[in-house]
Amino acid sequence: MQTTTVTMDCLHFIDGQFVPSLNGTTFDNINPATEEKLGIVAEGGAPEVDLAVKAARRALSGPWKTMTANDRITILRRIGDLIIQRNDELARLESLDTGKPSWLSGSIDIPRSAYNFHFFSDYIRTITTEATQMDNVALNYAIRVPVGVVGLINPWNLPLLLLTWKLAPALAAGNTVVIKPAELTPMTATVLAEICRDAGLPNGVLNVVHGFGPDSAGAALVEHPDVNAISFTGETTTGKVIMASAAKTLKRLSYELGGKNPNVIFADSNLDEVIETTMKSSFINQGEVCLCGSRIYVERSAYEDFINKFVAKTKELIVGDPFDPKTKVGSLISQEHYERVTSYISLALEEGGTIESGGKRPEGLNKGYFLEPTIITGLTRDCRVVKEEIFGPVVTVIPFDTEEEVLEQVNDTHYGLSASVWTNDLRRAHRVAAEIEAGIVWVNTWFLRDLRTPFGGMKQSGIGREGGLHSFEFYSELKNICIKL
Ligand code: NDP
């Protein structure tokens, strides 16, 4: 295992300056793969959030407001370019913070973060609004204006990717922002602040306040009366707390929340393709992706074949050092999360399940929060392991007999984020995709994303949609102007 050779301290970024907390408070940042200290992080609370919000509000009426669209596009493109230039450094920091394989950070997380800026900078030019004329009496036209100061609250699983997925459209639409990164993964947000400054983003447009969520920096951001909107990605339970708190100042909310996503595999699908993709949808990023398919339903006639091949392939996955290019599964994010995920493996046994593969710490890895990719069978729809989000490399596989039966099981959840359906029957593909209660349904694939398309969850997996115009709709107000002719 590579030891930690990088240490980095993370300060807040407020009004264009890196600053410590007002009272000097910090917390330690830990590398989950080695349990070594990576550095210290400024611990912000209500006073730092207030400074950041004030800076963001001032910046709304500064050069950011009067800048031409072309200048804004240039800055956003430059941010994307600088992320690409610093790809290796950012990928390294992301893997140190999260424990994920560095090839994954370097080939997906960081390039996609740069692309978020390039994509939304291009999108600025495509935004049009409507005009309507009422006889010869009045002309109405709509213009888009920024919402104002937006709070961006992010989880630890895809730190830079998910942050930029919010930040790029928020800036493209002319807002100013205060970011609260996950306390477990503060490093790439700190470097991003530097990148934004170097790209020419005016002071105060982007602010980062590190710290904890509940009763601290996150809560203060949600409660602040001068924050107009909160875009939040995280757990459904946290979303409920934030909604209650945001109600006091009636903030606009965008929510990307938890999931318990089904993969529905019919016997007529191409099993080799299914297995190849299911390996990724189950275990990529240690299963710590909101879109991972953790409930796998297989038509009974293909069940045995599927299990045999899936288990054999899973046992081949190399778990370990995030910086070894052969590693497929890195470390879970923290001790607390490791305990939570493994508690579900114990629960699966209590609920009558069988561990077909994995279920324990890999041999020889005594430090770090490593867990073998785990396949569980023998559970039924009422088991907690089948119902609750685990957010780790743990999947359940359940056989089914009919389309009606599987649909009933698939929809028997309060989550509705994503699903994938595997079949070569065209009519069934459309039928089943239409019936599944999820914001995104993939057919014969997984994780394929076009950034123009709506992204978001149904039921308790989210509110609103991100992507292309949908993001602009959240990050701007549509104002109607009526002129009497
Ligand atoms: P959490 O909900 O625990 O935390 C998310 C963020 O919210 C963190 O920055 C956290 O701060 C902050 N936070 C926590 N409590 C509050 C509060 N009361 N007020 C304001 N902010 C708060 O989620 P995780 O970080 O554990 O992320 C995993 C979850 O995210 C999973 O449920 C996963 O499904 C979901 N997710 C959803 C995605 C989607 O697109 N639908 C994408 C990725 C993840 P701190 O870290 O300091 O506690």
Side-chain angles (χ1 to χ4, degrees):
M1 183 78 51
Q2 268 194 31
T3 49
T4 306
T5 49
V6 172
T7 57
M8 177 179 154
D9 294 340
C10 298
L11 295 174
H12 309 300
F13 186 73
I14 299 176
D15 208 9
Q17 307 294 323
F18 284 101
V19 291
S21 287
L22 292 173
N23 61 4
T25 319
T26 60
F27 61 93
D28 289 346
N29 186 21
I30 303 297
N31 177 347
T34 60
E35 301 178 43
E36 290 168 341
K37 187 168 151 182
L38 286 165
I40 53 168
V41 186
E43 184 184 339
E48 290 76 15
V49 166
D50 187 50
L51 286 176
V53 173
K54 286 196 169 106
R57 186 132 304 270
R58 278 196 303 277
L60 273 176
S61 50
W64 187 234
K65 181 177 180 177
T66 48
M67 189 177 281
T68 63
N70 268 346
D71 287 343
R72 193 183 299 159
I73 289 167
T74 304
I75 291 177
L76 293 187
R77 284 209 71 80
R78 225 183 271 147
I79 296 173
D81 294 345
L82 289 173
I83 292 174
I84 291 172
Q85 267 178 36
R86 297 177 71 171
N87 188 79
D88 292 355
E89 173 199 355
L90 285 162
R92 181 165 174 72
L93 294 175
E94 202 74 305
S95 287
L96 286 167
D97 246 356
T98 57
K100 71 173 75 186
S102 62
W103 60 261
L104 186 60
S105 308
S107 64
I108 295 188
D109 294 56
I110 310 304
R112 185 37 217 290
S113 304
Y115 183 58
N116 285 338
F117 281 98
H118 289 158
F119 173 83
F120 281 108
S121 65
D122 288 345
Y123 221 85
I124 292 176
R125 288 190 220 277
T126 71
I127 300 296
T128 55
T129 51
E130 61 197 57
T132 35
Q133 188 166 338
M134 195 198 299
D135 302 323
N136 283 329
V137 180
L139 169 67
N140 288 276
Y141 62 91
I143 57 169
R144 280 198 185 276
V145 295
V147 174
V149 177
V150 182
L152 308 180
I153 303 181
N154 290 283
W156 44 259
N157 63 324
L158 305 167
L160 194 68
L161 195 162
L162 291 177
L163 165 56
T164 54
W165 176 234
K166 295 180 186 308
L167 177 63
L171 295 180
N175 299 284
T176 60
V177 301
V178 177
I179 296 163
K180 209 300 277 171
E183 111 242 350
L184 295 168
T185 53
M187 292 203 288
T188 49
T190 309
V191 176
L192 183 67
E194 194 179 292
I195 285 176
C196 289
R197 186 192 58 192
D198 295 349
L201 199 69
N203 288 351
V205 174
L206 173 142
N207 305 273
V208 179
V209 178
H210 295 291
F212 296 85
D215 307 317
S216 185
L221 188 57
V222 174
E223 280 163 20
H224 202 292
D226 253 353
V227 173
N228 303 91
I230 294 285
S231 180
F232 169 74
T233 299
E235 279 190 25
T236 296
T237 46
T238 314
K240 292 177 187 176
V241 174
I242 288 180
M243 183 177 269
S245 166
K248 289 176 219 145
T249 44
L250 214 63
K251 286 186 175 60
R252 174 185 285 230
L253 294 174
S254 161
Y255 270 178
E256 302 292 356
L257 306 176
K260 186 75 181 177
N261 310 311
N263 291 7
V264 183
I265 299 162
F266 288 94
D268 68 348
S269 53
N270 177 332
L271 200 58
D272 289 337
E273 248 184 88
V274 172
I275 297 284
E276 195 188 326
T277 307
T278 306
M279 296 303 296
K280 293 185 194 140
S281 69
S282 304
F283 303 126
I284 200 165
N285 208 57
Q286 303 72 243
E288 296 168 329
V289 178
C290 55
L291 301 170
C292 275
S294 51
R295 291 184 290 153
I296 303 174
Y297 298 93
V298 187
E299 195 168 3
R300 200 172 297 275
S301 57
Y303 180 79
E304 210 178 313
D305 202 11
F306 173 84
I307 282 286
N308 290 339
K309 288 185 172 155
F310 185 40
V311 168
K313 282 269 178 205
T314 299
K315 287 188 170 160
E316 286 170 12
L317 290 176
I318 296 176
V319 184
D321 186 352
F323 292 94
D324 182 336
K326 291 199 286 303
T327 294
K328 288 284 185 282
V329 179
S331 155
L332 298 188
I333 186 71
S334 65
Q335 166 104 38
E336 188 187 345
H337 191 58
Y338 179 86
E339 281 166 12
R340 184 183 133 88
V341 172
T342 49
S343 76
Y344 277 101
I345 296 172
S346 312
L347 180 64
L349 293 172
E350 285 165 32
E351 290 185 319
T354 303
I355 311 291
E356 303 283 351
S357 176
K360 57 183 186 345
R361 178 182 274 281
E363 273 172 34
L365 290 173
N366 302 322
K367 280 259 172 199
Y369 312 117
F370 294 96
L371 178 65
E372 289 175 347
T374 303
I375 301 172
I376 303 168
T377 57
L379 295 179
T380 56
R381 60 195 291 178
D382 298 323
C383 296
R384 279 183 52 207
V385 174
V386 177
K387 283 178 132 24
E388 296 175 15
E389 184 182 42
I390 300 173
F391 215 56
V394 180
V395 297
T396 57
V397 190
I398 297 178
F400 69 89
D401 293 302
T402 66
E403 191 178 307
E404 294 69 31
E405 175 210 332
V406 75
L407 277 171
E408 208 198 311
Q409 293 201 50
V410 158
N411 289 334
D412 183 17
T413 168
H414 63 263
Y415 291 116
L417 186 54
S418 73
S420 70
V421 179
W422 293 84
T423 178
N424 279 324
D425 177 335
L426 181 66
R427 291 189 205 186
R428 176 158 61 197
H430 285 291
R431 210 166 48 226
V432 172
E435 285 302 316
I436 293 181
E437 293 164 1
I440 305 149
V441 180
W442 283 286
V443 176
N444 296 334
T445 186
W446 178 74
F447 210 67
L448 197 56
R449 290 275 301 123
D450 177 331
L451 300 196
R452 291 168 297 184
T453 58
F455 177 92
M458 289 184 178
K459 305 203 272 190
Q460 292 190 25
S461 283
I463 296 178
R465 294 292 180 267
E466 297 185 305
L469 183 60
H470 310 284
S471 294
F472 270 86
E473 276 173 356
F474 178 75
Y475 292 111
S476 60
E477 293 276 11
L478 207 48
K479 178 196 284 190
N480 190 69
I481 297 175
C482 177
I483 313 273
K484 187 173 177 211
L485 298 176

